[in-house]
Amino acid sequence: MTLTIAQVSKQYRDVKVLDEISLTFEIGHIYGLLGRNGAGKSTLLNIINNRIFATSGTVVLDGQKVSDNEKALNHIFLMSEDNLYPDDLNILKLFKLTEHFYGSFDYEFAAHLVRAFKINTKTKFKKLSTGYRSIAKLIIALCVPADYIFLDEPVLGLDASHRDVFYKYLLDTFMKRPRAFIISTHLIEEITTIADEIVIIDQGAIMQSATTEQIKRSGVRVVGPEASVLAFTKEMTVMDQETLGGLTTIYVQNYPKNSIVPEDLTVSPLTLQDYFIHMTSKAGESNEI
Amino acid sequence: MKFDFNSTKPLFQQVNDEIEAAILSGAFPEESQVPSTTEISKSFQINPATVLKGMNLLVDHDLLEKKRGIGMFVKTGAQAKVKTIRKDKFLHESVVTVVKQAQALGITEAELKELIERGYQQ
């Protein structure tokens, strides 16, 4: 099963929120969708899930257009920050409502999750704290029969222990029933090991889409005296630059393997989070602080 | 097992190294079953494909063997083999690095030798 997003754009009056986004999502992968605030992540997820319309472009699941196609949409689920649930219902009723819409619901797995998170299924949704609202929505997202599960800021308000529980159960259910999980999050470090594919969106466009490993191999930081750093990185793709007195740091993308490093320079690889920060930083942003 | 998620070493390589270390220490004895991909993936919150890649590296190096339908087992002679692999790495990587750093700091060969000898006596 393949979900293809082809040249999707979204325009609000004269503001282009999404600009020709093209992506494919395959079953059997966990995707990390990264982007700064306002990058267009939620808009994209809402379009894929038929909650809003694209100005142009298509979302196609195995050759079938997804928009207003109930059959195709049944394979896709979005857990978003917006509360679309009737908040007078208790959690158990929300499970039943989901079952009604999607045809089935994994009550057995839901029972495990309910125990692990110590949530009371008799509690009304509106009575839940922010963290527990996220938990209730997460349980639903992990138990729907859909094949494409989009999670928009899934761990919002969850404490460290609950996040730990969530990641473990996510991997557990992913291994038992391979699906595609697409996780949009600001907690980059936490998904570095979980996601095997990364998509970076910036200002409404895809900046990069690659495996987590490729990205981790691609970025380095070169530190040393300014003239030497500049000479060494002259032919390279520079993402960002910082200076501290005479010490210059240049962040490089697609670092050429086997480069011979001059003695006065140190080259060290970047974590995914550092890579993201320096790739999406606007010119000079880090130096203005 | 310990994984440094911010390390620049690829995660699958870390999976390989940690299992290697457990074989060397005897925590995973020869002919015994090692934890499954599922167990490792869940306990350490690592994508199962990454765990599998690391484990397959051990199969390629003849340290683990797959028994169909049961799981992965430590091969006979794996402990000695890990020792050889690590010894090789030490001689070819660690020693070279130490000599290079010594040279950069102007430490002579005689000085370095003396320091090593002293280390052995302690």
Side-chain angles (χ1 to χ4, degrees):
Chain A
M1 206 177 266
T2 307
L3 185 67
T4 311
I5 289 111
Q7 283 123 30
V8 164
S9 297
K10 179 73 184 174
Q11 187 134 2
Y12 288 111
R13 292 211 178 87
D14 49 354
V15 185
K16 210 161 205 178
V17 185
L18 293 178
D19 188 10
E20 304 250 323
I21 299 268
S22 292
L23 278 173
T24 50
F25 293 118
E26 306 272 355
I27 300 287
H29 292 284
I30 300 176
Y31 296 83
L33 180 63
L34 311 180
R36 300 185 59 174
N37 292 323
K41 290 171 296 183
S42 297
T43 307
L44 177 65
L45 298 189
N46 280 327
I47 289 173
I48 296 171
N49 287 273
N50 203 38
R51 290 193 189 169
I52 56 174
F53 294 112
T55 309
S56 60
T58 52
V59 180
V60 175
L61 180 67
D62 280 348
Q64 300 279 320
K65 261 197 178 184
V66 167
S67 54
D68 289 329
N69 175 350
E70 204 183 316
K71 219 175 136 211
L73 281 167
N74 259 338
H75 292 283
I76 306 172
F77 182 88
L78 168 64
M79 171 206 162
S80 63
E81 280 181 65
D82 318 316
N83 282 326
L84 300 177
Y85 295 117
D87 55 8
D88 247 354
L89 295 184
N90 69 28
I91 294 168
L92 193 63
K93 294 231 170 79
L94 291 181
F95 292 172
K96 294 212 166 112
L97 191 69
T98 312
E99 180 186 13
H100 177 73
F101 281 121
Y102 280 85
S104 72
F105 190 80
D106 190 346
Y107 284 102
E108 200 190 318
F109 189 50
H112 278 288
L113 293 165
V114 163
R115 271 196 302 275
F117 285 113
K118 298 187 180 67
I119 189 169
N120 183 353
T121 53
K122 298 270 165 59
T123 314
K124 282 184 181 168
F125 190 75
K126 67 174 175 194
K127 294 263 159 108
L128 297 170
S129 64
T130 311
Y132 270 104
R133 279 182 195 197
S134 291
I135 288 170
K137 290 195 278 187
L138 277 176
I139 296 176
I140 293 169
L142 296 186
C143 297
V144 286
D147 300 292
Y148 284 89
I149 312 292
F150 291 84
L151 305 171
D152 195 3
E153 290 295 336
V155 294
L156 198 76
L158 265 66
D159 65 32
S161 316
H162 279 154
R163 293 205 298 276
D164 189 74
V165 172
F166 163 62
Y167 294 129
K168 281 197 166 86
Y169 277 101
L170 171 72
L171 286 164
D172 181 58
T173 185
F174 173 69
M175 285 184 278
K176 283 185 185 137
R177 185 162 71 82
R179 276 160 276 177
F181 283 99
I182 298 93
I183 306 172
S184 156
T185 182
H186 291 302
L187 297 177
I188 299 172
E189 275 180 24
E190 293 185 3
I191 59 147
T192 303
T193 62
I194 290 169
D196 59 336
E197 298 273 344
I198 298 292
V199 177
I200 300 176
I201 295 189
D202 197 48
Q203 298 176 52
I206 302 283
M207 217 174 193
Q208 191 163 23
S209 169
T211 68
T212 313
E213 246 174 65
Q214 282 167 342
I215 289 186
K216 282 187 84 175
R217 265 203 307 268
S218 154
V220 299
R221 151 197 296 119
V222 180
V223 186
E226 186 178 13
S228 183
V229 172
L230 289 177
F232 179 65
T233 57
K234 214 171 93 194
E235 306 285 315
M236 299 180 191
T237 318
V238 172
M239 298 192 283
D240 202 6
Q241 180 172 352
E242 285 167 1
T243 44
L244 182 68
L247 201 63
T248 295
T249 303
I250 280 187
Y251 296 88
V252 170
Q253 184 189 5
N254 299 325
Y255 180 69
K257 235 176 149 186
N258 307 323
S259 304
I260 296 156
V261 183
E263 289 215 352
D264 57 345
L265 299 183
T266 45
V267 174
S268 51
L270 298 178
T271 62
L272 182 60
Q273 173 148 310
D274 283 338
Y275 183 86
F276 173 79
I277 290 172
H278 295 291
M279 189 188 206
T280 58
S281 75
K282 311 294 167 276
E285 196 175 43
S286 41
N287 266 342
E288 282 165 15
I289 301 165
Chain B
M1 272 189 234
K2 199 176 136 274
F3 297 95
D4 179 2
F5 297 141
N6 286 318
S7 161
T8 49
K9 200 195 263 181
L11 204 53
F12 70 90
Q13 186 65 51
Q14 289 188 52
V15 171
N16 170 86
D17 293 355
E18 285 299 316
I19 297 173
E20 245 186 42
I23 293 173
L24 186 66
S25 73
F28 293 171
E30 290 179 10
E31 282 158 56
S32 72
Q33 189 171 1
V34 298
S36 68
T37 311
T38 315
E39 286 173 281
I40 298 177
S41 169
K42 259 165 47 179
S43 325
F44 298 100
Q45 300 172 6
I46 302 174
N47 188 289
T50 310
V51 177
L52 195 64
K53 198 169 168 190
M55 289 181 101
N56 281 336
L57 221 53
L58 291 147
V59 173
D60 292 345
H61 295 158
D62 242 4
L63 297 170
L64 291 185
E65 61 182 334
K66 276 181 206 161
K67 288 191 185 166
R68 277 189 70 180
I70 315 176
M72 297 264 206
F73 287 76
V74 181
K75 281 190 97 170
T76 318
Q79 199 177 22
K81 208 161 191 172
V82 173
K83 210 173 215 169
T84 315
I85 294 173
R86 298 238 160 161
K87 217 160 140 181
D88 249 39
K89 233 188 212 162
F90 176 74
L91 292 172
H92 291 110
E93 290 170 20
S94 310
V95 175
V96 173
T97 313
V98 167
V99 171
K100 256 197 195 149
Q101 285 176 343
Q103 280 171 334
L105 294 170
I107 299 168
T108 66
E109 193 183 330
E111 277 176 300
L112 190 60
K113 269 184 183 162
E114 202 197 307
L115 283 168
I116 290 171
E117 276 165 18
R118 223 190 286 163
Y120 265 100
Q121 281 154 17
Q122 272 167 12

